[in-house]
C-alpha cells in the first residue's frame, strides 16, 4: 500500500473551516466568472430599490467592475455585517424560502465576491449625513472610514480572482467574458424596465436607458433598435406570459437574443426556450432562433430557485403546464396579422401590367398559362372568389401533437407541429402587382408597403396545404397517363412504396406493383402537368425516403415533396393573373408566411424603412 493511503500517524482533528476559506469555497460556486459578479451586484442594487443603476466594466471585468446605484444604501453599523456569510436583510423566517420575491436571499454574494478580489464599497442611507467606505482584499477588511457620498451604494471590484489562479486561468477570451457580461446587463435591464440603466464597456457606452420605459420600448431598444416587436400577453391557468418577441425575419442562428424570465428572474431553461421556438412553428426555418423577451409568472411556491448557487437554473413544479402556456401564448401572439399585414387579395383588376403580353415560359416541359394546382385563373374576381371559397378547413395533421416534456429530465420528447391561423381581415386593401424581380420574386404594393413574394416558396405553401387537405378527403386529382410507365425500384424503394401506396394514391399517384422490382405508374398528380411521370414518381419516392428518415410522417413528407417538385420554379414567368391568383391562394393558407421548409414566402419592406434609408425621417 502506498504511504499516501496508509492511515495518518496523528489522529485527524475535526475543526470548522476558517470563515475566509468558507467564503472562498463559496465564491467558487457563486462567482463563476466576471458576469456572475455583475449579476450579483446589480441584483443587490435592484433589491435595494434603486431607480438608476450604472454598470462600468473594464477589461471584461478582470480589471474593474463598478456598479453604482441610488438605492437605500447600508447603514454604517451594518456594512461589515453585509460582508459576513449568510447575513441578509431579505430572508428571515424559514417559510420565506418558499416565497422568494427578492433577487437575493442567501447572504452569500458580497462575502464571496470580496474573498476573491479587491472590493471597495461606499454606501450612504438617506438618514445619514455621510457615507461609509470599506475596502476588502481577499475577504479581509483593510479599512473602514467615513466618506462623502450620495445616497445609494457604489461597489468597485478590482483584480477579480487574483488569489484563485486556477479560476483566473480558466476565464475565456476577453470577448467571451464581455459577451456574458453584456447578456447579464441586457437581461437585468429587460426585467426591470422602470429602472434606468447604463452600461459601459472599456469606457464606451453600450447602452443607456432612461428610467420609466415600458417593456414595449425597452425590448427593441436592447435587442433590435428601431424594429417593431410583437406583443405577447396571456395566461393559462396559473401561468401568465407577457413580453415582446421579434418578427421571424429577425431570427438568429443562436439563442443569444432570447431572454426568458420566471417571476422576474432571468433563467436558462431549455424547456421554456423550446416552448418559445415551438410557438413560432413554421415561421422559423430550422436552426434559427427568435429574438425576444418573455416574462413568465407562476405561483412563487411552484418555482424552486434554490437549485444552483448562480440562481439561473430553476425547477418548476408544473413544467409541462408552463411549457404549454408559453407555447400557446406565443403562437397566439404571432397569429397572422401581428407578423405581416393580413391581406385579403383580389386578382389584379386587369391584366395590363408589364410582361403580360409575353406568353408564360414553358416550364416543366409544357406550355401552360396555369399555375399547377390552382386551376385556371378565372377571368374576374368573383370567379376567383368562387374558386377559393370557402376558406379551406384546416388540414388534420397527424403529427400535430402537443410537445411532450419528460417531467423528470425536462427533455423534449416530441416537437409540436406548429401551424398558424387562417387568413382573415376581409376589409384591408388588396395588394397590387407591381412587377417581378430576378425571375423569382413577385412585387406587390400593399398600402404603403412593398411585399416581395418568393413565387416558388409561395406556390409550395399553397400546394402543400392543398395536398394535405386532399389526402384527408377526396384525394387529389390525378392525371391518367395514356401510356402507363413501368418504373424499376430497388428493394428499399419498393418497401417504401408499399408502405406509402394508399397515401400516394390519395396524392394523385396511381401506381401498382408490377412484378417484384417494378411499379406501374398509371396516373400522376395533375399538378405535375406534362412532366415525365417516371421522374416525378422517383423524385417523390426519394424525397419521402429522406424526409421520413428525418422524422416527418409519411403524409406530410409526400405533401411536402409534391409541393416542392410541382411548384413553379425561379425563372418560370407567371402572367399577371397567375401572380395575383397565387398570392390570393397564399393568403388563404393556414400558414402563409412560410413555405413547408420554413423559409419565408413574403418579405415586407415598409415605407418607414425606406424613408429612413433615404434620410427622410
Ligand atoms: N447595493 C446595495 N444596497 C443596499 N444594500 C445592499 C446592497 N448590496 C448588499 N446590500 C445588503 O447586504 C446584504 C448582503 O448582500 P448579499 O448580496 O451578500 O446577500 P443577499 O443579497 O441578501 O443574498 P444573495 O447572496 O442571495 O445575493 C443584503 O441582504 C443587503 O441588505
Ligand atoms: Mg445579493
Amino acid at each position: 500500500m502506498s504511504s499516501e493511503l496508509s492511515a495518518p500517524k496523528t489522529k485527524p482533528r475535526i475543526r470548522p473551516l476558517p470563515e475566509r476559506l468558507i467564503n472562498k469555497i463559496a465564491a467558487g460556486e457563486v462567482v463563476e466568472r466576471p458576469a456572475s459578479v455583475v449579476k450579483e451586484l446589480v441584483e443587490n442594487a435592484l433589491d435595494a430599490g434603486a431607480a438608476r443603476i450604472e454598470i462600468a466594466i473594464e477589461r471584461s471585468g478582470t480589471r474593474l467592475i463598478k456598479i453604482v446605484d441610488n438605492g437605500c444604501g447600508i447603514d454604517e453599523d451594518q456594512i461589515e455585517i453585509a460582508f459576513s456569510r449568510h447575513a441578509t436583510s431579505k430572508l428571515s423566517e424559514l417559510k420565506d424560502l418558499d416565497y422568494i420575491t427578492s433577487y437575493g436571499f442567501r447572504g452569500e454574494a458580497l462575502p464571496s465576491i470580496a474573498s476573491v478580489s479587491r472590493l471597495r464599497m461606499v454606501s450612504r442611507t438617506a438618514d445619514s449625513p455621510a457615507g461609509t467606505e470599506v475596502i476588502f482584499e481577499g475577504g479581509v477588511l483593510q479599512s473602514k472610514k467615513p466618506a462623502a457620498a450620495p445616497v445609494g451604494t457604489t461597489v468597485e471590484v478590482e483584480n477579480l480572482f487574483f488569489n484563485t489562479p486556477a479560476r483566473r486561468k480558466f476565464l475565456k477570451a476577453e470577448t467571451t467574458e464581455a459577451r456574458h457580461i453584456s447578456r447579464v446587463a441586457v437581461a437585468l435591464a429587460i426585467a426591470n424596465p422602470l429602472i434606468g440603466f447604463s452600461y459601459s464597456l472599456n469606457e464606451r457606452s453600450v447602452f443607456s436607458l432612461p428610467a420609466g420605459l415600458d417593456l414595449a420600448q425597452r425590448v427593441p431598444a436592447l435587442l433590435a433598435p428601431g424594429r417593431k416587436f410583437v406583443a405577447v400577453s396571456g395566461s393559462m391557468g396559473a401561468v401568465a406570459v407577457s413580453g415582446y418577441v421579434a418578427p421571424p425575419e429577425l431570427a438568429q442562428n443562436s439563442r443569444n437574443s432570447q431572454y426568458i424570465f420566471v417571476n422576474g428572474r432571468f433563467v436558462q431553461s431549455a424547456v421554456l426556450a423550446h416552448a418559445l421556438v415551438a410557438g413560432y412553428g413554421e415561421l422559423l426555418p430550422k436552426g434559427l432562433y427568435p429574438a425576444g423577451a418573455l416574462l413568465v409568472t407562476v405561483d412563487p411556491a411552484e418555482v424552486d430557485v434554490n437549485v444552483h448557487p448562480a440562481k439561473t437554473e430553476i425547477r418548476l413544479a408544473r413544467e409541462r403546464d408552463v411549457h404549454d402556456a408559453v407555447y400557446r401564448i406565443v403562437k397566439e401572439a404571432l397569429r397572422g396579422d401581428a407578423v405581416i399585414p393580413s391581406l385579403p387579395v383580389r386578382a389584379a383588376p386587369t391584366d395590363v401590367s408589364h410582361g403580360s403580353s409575353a406568353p408564360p415560359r414553358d416550364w416543366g416541359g409544357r406550355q401552360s398559362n396555369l399555375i399547377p394546382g390552382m386551376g385556371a385563373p378565372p377571368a374576374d374576381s368573383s370567379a376567383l372568389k368562387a374558386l377559393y371559397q370557402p376558406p379551406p378547413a384546416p388540414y388534420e395533421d397527424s403529427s400535430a401533437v402537443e410537445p411532450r416534456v419528460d417531467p423528470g429530465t425536462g427533455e423534449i420528447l416530441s416537437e409540436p407541429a406548429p401551424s398558424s391561423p387562417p387568413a382573415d381581415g376581409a376589409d384591408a386593401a388588396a395588394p397590387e402587382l407591381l412587377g417581378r424581380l430576378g425571375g423569382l420574386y413577385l412585387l406587390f404594393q400593399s398600402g404603403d408597403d412593398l411585399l416581395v413574394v418568393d413565387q416558388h416558396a409561395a406556390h409550395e405553401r399553397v400546394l402543400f396545404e392543398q395536398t394535405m387537405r386532399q389526402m384527408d378527403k377526396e384525394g387529389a386529382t390525378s392525371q391518367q397517363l395514356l401510356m402507363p410507365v413501368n418504373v424499376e425500384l430497388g428493394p428499399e424503394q419498393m418497401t417504401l412504396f408499399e408502405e406509402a401506396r394508399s397515401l400516394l394514391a390519395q396524392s394523385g399517384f396511381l401506381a401498382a406493383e408490377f412484378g417484384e422490382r417494378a411499379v406501374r405508374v398509371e396516373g400522376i398528380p395533375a399538378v405535375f402537368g406534362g412532366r415525365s411521370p417516371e421522374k416525378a414518381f422517383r423524385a417523390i419516392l426519394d424525397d419521402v425516403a429522406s424526409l421520413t428518415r428525418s422524422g416527418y410522417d409519411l403524409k406530410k413528407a409526400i405533401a411536402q415533396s409534391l409541393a416542392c417538385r410541382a411548384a413553379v420554379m425561379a425563372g418560370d414567368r407567371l402572367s399577371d393573373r397567375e401572380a395575383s391568383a397565387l398570392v390570393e391562394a397564399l393568403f388563404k393558407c393556414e400558414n402563409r408566411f412560410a413555405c413547408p421548409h420554413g423559409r419565408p414566402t413574403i418579405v415586407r419592406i415598409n415605407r418607414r424603412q425606406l424613408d429612413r434609408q433615404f434620410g427622410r425621417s
Side-chain angles (χ1 to χ4, degrees):
M1 211 187 242
S2 86
S3 59
E4 273 169 64
L5 292 177
S6 59
K9 291 195 181 73
T10 51
K11 233 194 308 161
R13 286 177 57 76
I14 302 172
R15 285 164 304 186
L17 290 171
E19 170 136 335
R20 267 174 55 201
L21 192 53
I22 296 174
N23 288 337
K24 215 167 143 183
I25 293 169
E29 296 182 321
V30 178
V31 191
E32 196 188 339
R33 55 183 359 142
S36 340
V37 175
V38 176
K39 172 176 173 293
E40 294 296 337
L41 296 179
V42 173
E43 287 186 349
N44 279 351
L46 290 162
D47 283 344
R52 265 213 66 75
I53 297 172
E54 288 166 33
I55 306 168
I57 306 295
E58 283 175 30
R59 297 275 319 262
S60 311
T62 48
R63 177 177 294 162
L64 175 73
I65 293 172
K66 181 176 177 185
I67 311 289
V68 182
D69 73 56
N70 62 356
C72 65
I74 309 176
D75 274 326
E76 184 267 327
D77 62 336
Q78 296 263 294
I79 205 161
E80 273 176 76
I81 304 172
F83 285 87
S84 61
R85 205 167 149 72
H86 300 312
T88 175
S89 56
K90 301 166 194 174
L91 202 69
S92 55
E93 286 177 47
L94 201 56
K95 82 165 183 2
D96 284 353
L97 202 51
D98 291 333
Y99 289 92
I100 294 164
T101 50
S102 58
Y103 282 111
F105 56 84
R106 306 154 308 186
E108 281 195 332
L110 285 181
S112 300
I113 297 165
S115 74
V116 290
S117 67
R118 177 191 151 86
L119 185 152
R120 172 176 175 268
M121 177 190 270
V122 181
S123 194
R124 191 189 133 200
T125 55
D127 47 14
S128 151
T132 308
E133 179 201 75
V134 284
I135 296 176
F136 286 84
E137 229 170 282
V140 181
L141 182 65
Q142 305 291 310
S143 76
K144 178 180 174 186
K145 56 177 196 239
V151 172
T153 303
T154 295
V155 181
E156 290 171 7
V157 174
E158 293 176 332
N159 285 342
L160 185 62
F161 301 134
F162 78 97
N163 55 352
T164 52
R167 184 53 59 96
R168 198 170 175 106
K169 216 165 83 198
F170 277 105
L171 287 181
K172 295 272 188 310
E174 235 182 76
T175 47
T176 312
E177 296 303 332
R179 223 179 17 247
H180 281 284
I181 295 174
S182 301
R183 192 159 161 78
V184 163
V186 168
L188 288 160
I190 289 175
N192 300 279
L194 295 176
I195 312 295
F197 268 93
S198 67
Y199 167 45
S200 72
L201 191 61
N202 298 328
E203 300 186 335
R204 285 184 39 201
S205 168
V206 179
F207 61 75
S208 177
L209 302 163
L213 284 189
D214 60 20
L215 209 57
Q217 298 160 296
R218 188 156 279 196
V219 173
L222 287 165
L223 301 187
R227 302 304 295 259
K228 198 160 180 276
F229 277 51
V230 179
V232 174
S233 166
S235 62
M236 252 181 74
V239 184
V241 181
S242 63
Y244 288 86
V245 295
E249 73 261 22
L250 294 183
Q252 308 187 344
N253 48 20
S254 80
R255 293 189 190 272
N256 284 345
S257 290
Q258 266 173 33
Y259 292 85
I260 300 178
F261 305 83
V262 173
N263 291 358
R265 209 178 276 282
F266 177 43
V267 297
Q268 305 294 346
S269 161
V271 171
L272 299 187
H274 174 271
L276 170 60
V277 174
Y280 275 73
E282 287 174 27
L283 291 174
L284 281 186
K286 272 224 166 347
L288 287 190
Y289 301 96
L294 284 185
L295 277 59
V296 181
T297 312
V298 299
D299 179 347
E302 302 229 317
V303 212
D304 188 355
V305 291
N306 199 13
V307 178
H308 185 269
K311 293 182 283 195
T312 51
E313 282 170 35
I314 49 161
R315 210 166 280 146
L316 290 165
R318 273 179 252 222
E319 193 164 63
R320 174 72 208 275
D321 291 352
V322 182
H323 178 285
D324 262 26
V326 170
Y327 160 64
R328 283 167 196 280
I329 294 166
V330 168
K331 186 171 142 186
E332 178 66 30
L334 290 167
R335 280 176 79 93
D337 305 4
V339 185
I340 295 181
S342 168
L343 302 167
V345 184
R346 56 171 165 75
T350 48
D351 204 1
V352 291
S353 54
H354 12 271
S356 59
S357 55
R361 206 173 65 87
D362 177 6
W363 53 269
R366 75 198 165 108
Q367 275 288 331
S368 169
N369 62 349
L370 302 185
I371 302 174
M374 295 177 50
D380 63 47
S381 63
S382 64
L384 253 182
K385 278 204 181 87
L387 183 63
Y388 295 114
Q389 277 174 356
Y395 55 79
E396 271 171 40
D397 188 337
S398 54
S399 65
V401 289
E402 292 309 319
R404 290 193 302 119
V405 179
D406 181 332
T409 61
E411 204 185 325
I412 308 301
L413 299 174
S414 71
E415 299 267 340
S419 67
S420 73
D424 55 73
D427 50 1
E432 184 192 332
L433 181 69
L434 299 176
R436 298 159 181 81
L437 185 69
L440 173 62
Y441 300 111
L442 304 172
L443 311 179
F444 288 86
Q445 177 172 0
S446 161
D448 263 357
D449 294 345
L450 175 66
L451 300 183
V452 183
V453 174
D454 176 324
Q455 65 182 32
H456 174 72
H459 195 201
E460 257 189 309
R461 164 55 59 188
V462 170
L463 290 177
F464 173 72
E465 295 200 3
Q466 177 182 291
T467 309
M468 287 295 275
R469 279 193 308 278
Q470 289 171 337
M471 284 163 87
D472 279 337
K473 292 185 183 153
E474 73 280 14
T477 318
S478 185
Q479 182 183 304
Q480 295 273 344
L481 302 177
L482 286 175
M483 309 270 284
V485 288
N486 294 342
V487 181
E488 283 202 20
L489 298 178
E492 220 178 293
Q493 288 174 312
M494 202 67 195
T495 320
L496 179 63
F497 169 71
E498 279 160 19
E499 203 187 323
R501 182 210 295 240
S502 65
L503 281 170
L504 282 171
Q506 284 293 96
S507 76
F509 280 102
L510 306 178
E513 277 151 43
F514 191 75
E516 280 193 7
R517 296 269 189 83
V519 165
R520 189 177 182 80
V521 180
E522 296 182 339
I524 61 170
V527 291
F528 276 111
R531 273 184 253 194
S532 153
E534 173 167 358
K535 271 194 194 154
F537 185 72
R538 282 190 184 283
I540 297 284
L541 273 192
D542 287 348
D543 289 351
V544 170
S546 77
L547 286 169
T548 47
R549 266 197 298 276
S550 58
Y552 277 66
D553 71 65
L554 257 183
K555 189 168 99 188
K556 214 166 164 183
I558 292 172
Q560 176 158 332
S561 164
L562 196 144
C564 183
R565 300 283 174 174
V568 292
M569 291 296 171
D572 291 339
R573 179 160 184 110
L574 303 185
S575 73
D576 289 5
R577 270 192 200 161
E578 288 170 330
S580 296
L582 173 60
V583 169
E584 166 147 6
L586 177 67
F587 277 92
K588 294 259 156 74
C589 283
E590 284 262 296
N591 193 345
R592 60 204 126 137
F593 302 122
C595 79
H597 306 284
R599 283 193 296 273
T601 51
I602 304 175
V603 166
R604 176 172 48 125
I605 296 168
N606 72 28
R607 172 70 192 266
R608 264 184 300 126
Q609 275 169 277
L610 282 180
D611 285 348
R612 211 171 300 131
Q613 291 239 301
F614 283 103
R616 288 183 172 277
S617 62

